[in-house]
Amino acid sequence: MSSELPTWKEIPIAGTILEPGNSVKYKTGDWRTFRPVIDQEKCVRCLFCWAYCPDAAVKIVEKPYRTQSGREYQFSVEIDYDYCKGCGICANECPAKAIQMVEEVK
Ligand code: SF4
Ligand code: SF4
């Protein structure tokens, strides 16, 4: 967690948010015990994981990918581990079973 975050004594009463958009500073990935790993070969780029992720931790990146069987994609899907809390919803919803939850090793 960043050292610029307020201590509990500095947090406004009732946790009022005074600075919109400040959630980007809170790297919720620190809590994770399992991490989702995407198999780019199996991923069909349907973006269900992107739609279902409650932390907006699924990224669409401009990385073209060609599978071993010759399927071509113009983008790839990756996980932002700074914010992924490891809930496993993406793995549960992925219709291609392309996401495995693996134990986090720190
Ligand atoms: S494990 Fe949860 S938080 Fe992480 S990318 Fe999947 S749905 Fe999002
Ligand atoms: S839900 Fe599965 S197949 Fe669809 S984009 Fe995400 S990882 Fe790929």
Side-chain angles (χ1 to χ4, degrees), residues 8-104:
W8 68 270
K9 288 180 182 172
E10 295 163 337
I11 293 174
I13 292 172
T16 309
I17 294 172
L18 304 175
E19 181 194 348
N22 69 354
S23 64
V24 77
K25 292 183 187 170
Y26 295 89
K27 300 201 169 169
T28 48
D30 285 358
W31 311 339
R32 194 177 52 240
T33 52
F34 284 85
R35 68 165 49 203
V37 176
I38 299 177
D39 182 339
Q40 297 295 334
E41 282 292 310
K42 288 187 184 172
C43 172
V44 295
R45 276 64 174 174
C46 66
L47 301 182
F48 274 27
C49 53
W50 176 84
Y52 278 99
C53 175
D55 280 287
V58 177
K59 300 185 295 184
I60 300 165
V61 293
E62 287 186 42
K63 250 189 225 174
Y65 187 85
R66 187 173 203 271
T67 65
Q68 287 171 7
S69 62
R71 242 180 310 153
E72 300 215 18
Y73 296 108
Q74 298 307 309
F75 65 91
S76 295
V77 180
E78 294 183 355
I79 306 292
D80 187 338
Y81 293 114
D82 279 347
Y83 300 101
C84 165
K85 64 187 175 194
C87 66
I89 291 174
C90 55
N92 204 42
E93 298 297 335
C94 175
K97 302 289 174 226
I99 304 177
Q100 292 296 315
M101 298 301 292
V102 301
E103 196 167 355
E104 189 68 64

